[in-house]
Amino acid sequence: MMRPLKRKTMEAFVRILLSLAIAVSFLASPDCVWAAQKESSLKTPVAVRQETPDDAEPEIIARVNGEAVPRAELRRMVDNPLTLQQAQRELRVEEPDRKELERLAMRKLVHLRLLVQEADRRKIRITQKELDEAITALRRRFDDLKDFGMWVRQQGLNDPELFETVRTDMLAERVTAALVEGVSVTEEQAQQYFEAHRDDLIIGAEVRLRIIAVSNKAEAQEIMATVQKGEPFDRLARRRSMGRLAAKGGDTGWVDFQALSSPLREAAVELKPGDVGGPFEKGPAEFLIVGLQDRRPLRAKSLAEARPEIERRLLSAKQQEVVQAWLAEQEKKAKIEVFIQSE
């Protein structure tokens, strides 16, 4: 079983281990320019050489400036849950097909190679001590070495491959950090964002909910289906809810968002006013159907109070733009060969 990793323990490393989160959150560009310098995206086929070159090893499925990309890396990337999540966001489909996942995975692997090659040009190095500390931090997330070893095997890695994967990802993150160094949010940009998003920048919030509480999940699912068919929520609450609010049709009145229990906070975040969701599990024998009637801010933030949050929101987008622009330029300059058939 895995244990949560302490925040201060190799904080940067957590974002990159075997998930290539750099490629997922920072480096994913909807356009990909390959050896022929033709644009491609998730929605169109990448420019690939479908034949396998005579001089290519059977397990090599691409080369980036002559550096090989093994098939095993593509398989690991395709099977990575973060690759699926990114494809779902970009394609807006629940179940992207295998070819779409392979295109996205290949693009991310190419980006990773370009970043590591840039690390070499910049003479960025990972010391053995840093690598050992990163591996140790990962190992401490598991109860024992047996669990850790099982997890490594599930990733399709042996020990040398694990060390190389971690080293590669650390190099990529350091190059990314160097690329975005100095990127900042101007006062004018902060002011414009503040004016456009005043309603989102608040201190505290109140919500008004309707709740139906029942003792088992099956009954909660049945009630949820009935609500979706148009049965009035308050009528169902009076008849079926075991909660103290049943007599009021499940109406909570206005309540402080922070005072809500965990499942109710989850519902209040997920739902829009007028929506109903669930079942949400509150305990072993309590399941909730929750309707969000409305929400309201307690107090709007001033620009000074909102500035840190504005910077967090804007800075990530600005950094992503910088990295994507750099990758696009590198793709134009690089010799990128992809010579696989879809698996």
Side-chain angles (χ1 to χ4, degrees):
M1 182 179 296
M2 294 179 65
R3 293 195 298 264
L5 185 62
K6 292 183 179 179
R7 179 169 181 158
K8 293 184 179 179
T9 306
M10 298 306 297
E11 192 171 26
F13 173 64
V14 176
R15 298 195 301 274
I16 57 177
L17 278 175
L18 302 175
S19 65
L20 303 179
I22 297 170
V24 173
S25 61
F26 242 178
L27 311 180
S29 167
D31 301 316
C32 196
V33 184
W34 302 95
Q37 297 186 13
K38 294 181 180 179
E39 291 188 356
S40 168
S41 72
L42 279 174
K43 296 184 179 180
T44 57
V46 298
V48 300
R49 283 165 46 191
Q50 295 292 350
E51 72 280 8
T52 301
D54 294 337
D55 59 347
E57 301 175 31
E59 290 302 305
I60 301 304
I61 46 83
R63 294 185 188 277
V64 181
N65 292 325
E67 184 179 348
V69 179
R71 183 179 294 276
E73 287 190 27
L74 179 66
R75 290 195 183 110
R76 285 198 295 270
M77 184 69 77
V78 169
D79 293 338
N80 191 314
L82 291 178
T83 303
L84 173 61
Q85 292 170 17
Q86 185 181 345
Q88 289 171 332
R89 288 196 306 270
E90 295 189 8
L91 294 172
R92 297 183 180 180
V93 296
E94 190 65 29
E95 296 184 5
D97 64 32
R98 180 81 179 184
K99 290 182 180 179
E100 301 291 358
L101 290 174
E102 286 181 352
R103 291 189 186 105
L104 176 58
M106 181 58 68
R107 190 177 72 204
K108 289 157 63 178
L109 288 171
V110 167
H111 286 172
L112 186 63
R113 287 297 190 282
L114 292 172
L115 285 164
V116 173
Q117 290 168 9
E118 181 66 14
D120 188 57
R121 286 190 290 270
R122 295 180 181 230
K123 301 187 185 307
I124 296 174
R125 301 287 184 265
I126 304 298
T127 67
Q128 187 61 47
K129 180 181 178 182
E130 290 171 329
L131 185 57
D132 289 343
E133 288 175 349
I135 296 295
T136 298
L138 174 62
R139 191 161 51 222
R140 285 174 178 166
R141 298 177 67 190
F142 297 82
D143 287 336
D144 52 45
L145 286 176
K146 181 179 179 181
D147 286 345
F148 177 64
M150 184 180 301
W151 178 81
V152 171
R153 289 192 297 274
Q154 288 172 349
Q155 310 311 307
L157 298 168
N158 56 34
D159 286 349
E161 289 170 339
L162 173 65
F163 274 77
E164 183 58 25
T165 299
V166 171
R167 186 191 71 83
T168 297
D169 292 348
M170 293 175 74
L171 285 171
E173 179 171 287
R174 291 192 182 180
V175 171
T176 301
L179 290 173
V180 301
E181 186 177 4
V183 176
S184 61
V185 177
T186 67
E187 193 64 38
E188 181 181 0
Q189 290 170 332
Q191 181 69 48
Q192 290 175 347
Y193 189 92
F194 178 72
E195 296 296 339
H197 298 83
R198 283 180 180 271
D199 292 344
D200 297 333
L201 300 167
I202 59 175
I203 296 177
E206 290 183 324
V207 293
R208 189 168 186 173
L209 307 173
R210 286 191 185 277
I211 300 171
I212 297 174
V214 294
S215 60
N216 65 79
K217 189 173 183 178
E219 184 180 3
Q221 290 172 332
E222 177 202 339
I223 293 172
M224 184 66 192
T226 304
V227 171
Q228 291 172 335
K229 291 177 182 178
E231 183 75 15
F233 193 106
D234 58 345
R235 185 184 303 169
L236 284 168
R238 290 187 177 93
R239 289 205 323 255
R240 308 285 298 272
S241 181
M242 65 180 187
R244 60 182 177 81
L245 299 173
K248 298 180 180 179
D251 187 5
T252 63
W254 288 104
V255 293
D256 185 348
F257 173 80
Q258 294 299 330
L260 295 174
S261 62
S262 179
L264 291 178
R265 281 201 305 272
E266 177 186 345
V269 169
E270 291 182 3
L271 300 175
K272 296 179 180 179
D275 287 350
V276 176
F280 297 94
E281 185 174 359
K282 187 176 181 181
E286 187 171 4
F287 294 84
L288 308 177
I289 304 298
V290 181
L292 176 61
Q293 300 184 75
D294 205 355
R295 61 166 58 93
R296 66 187 182 189
L298 295 181
R299 181 173 71 80
K301 290 182 179 180
S302 66
L303 176 58
E305 291 170 328
R307 182 64 190 256
E309 184 175 352
I310 291 173
E311 288 193 351
R312 282 195 300 272
R313 295 183 186 184
L314 292 182
L315 191 58
S316 177
K318 292 188 69 174
Q319 290 174 334
Q320 184 177 338
E321 289 174 4
V322 169
V323 175
Q324 288 179 348
W326 182 87
L327 285 169
E329 185 62 28
Q330 295 304 307
E331 286 170 351
K332 292 176 182 177
K333 297 176 181 178
K335 181 180 180 182
I336 302 172
E337 302 168 282
V338 181
F339 29 82
I340 64 167
Q341 297 281 356
S342 296
E343 293 189 339

